[in-house]
Amino acid sequence: HVQLVESGGGSVSAGGSLRLSCTASRYSLSSYAMAWFRQVPGKEREGVAFISRSGGEAKYAGSVKGRFTISRDSTENTVDLQMDSLKPEDTATYTCAATQMFGVPLKKYQYHYWGQGTQVTVS
């Protein structure tokens, strides 16, 4: 099955930007609807950004709308999350996820493949 690998996490000051990237070896991510979730210890994992197989439709959690942008790069076989105007409350482990469902699934149970996660710290 598809194995997802995230990169791009790190530490940044409030108001700064980070770009996360998710890639897979041997499988084209264009065959999957994709999403970025985040989790803070002791809290539920929450979805922050979602994108359809074609990249033609994207949806965002209200807490990140207007600050985060999810996109696909078919040449590089990546799904990226551009995070701008970061806030301390964005601190979390960010994980990309994939599903073969069509449309833009919004529920974590609809995603079947998960990466290991990358830490984002905003101070």
Side-chain angles (χ1 to χ4, degrees), residues 17-98:
S17 298
L18 281 174
R19 188 176 184 88
L20 306 183
S21 188
C22 176
T23 191
S25 58
R26 301 186 303 175
Y27 292 87
S28 172
L29 291 182
S30 62
S31 299
Y32 301 87
M34 302 290 296
W36 284 94
F37 288 79
R38 68 185 182 187
Q39 189 170 23
V40 175
K43 292 191 175 182
E44 288 279 333
R45 179 177 281 175
E46 65 166 339
V48 296
F50 310 82
I51 193 165
S52 62
R53 290 187 179 205
S54 68
E57 186 177 6
K59 295 185 179 180
Y60 300 91
S63 57
V64 307
K65 200 168 187 178
R67 301 188 297 121
F68 289 12
T69 303
I70 189 170
S71 61
R72 290 184 176 272
D73 185 330
S74 58
T75 302
E76 298 293 327
N77 196 35
T78 63
V79 173
D80 301 326
L81 184 67
Q82 178 66 38
M83 304 186 295
D84 298 318
S85 302
L86 282 162
K87 304 175 181 180
E89 51 263 43
D90 294 319
T91 295
T93 299
Y94 285 72
T95 305
C96 68

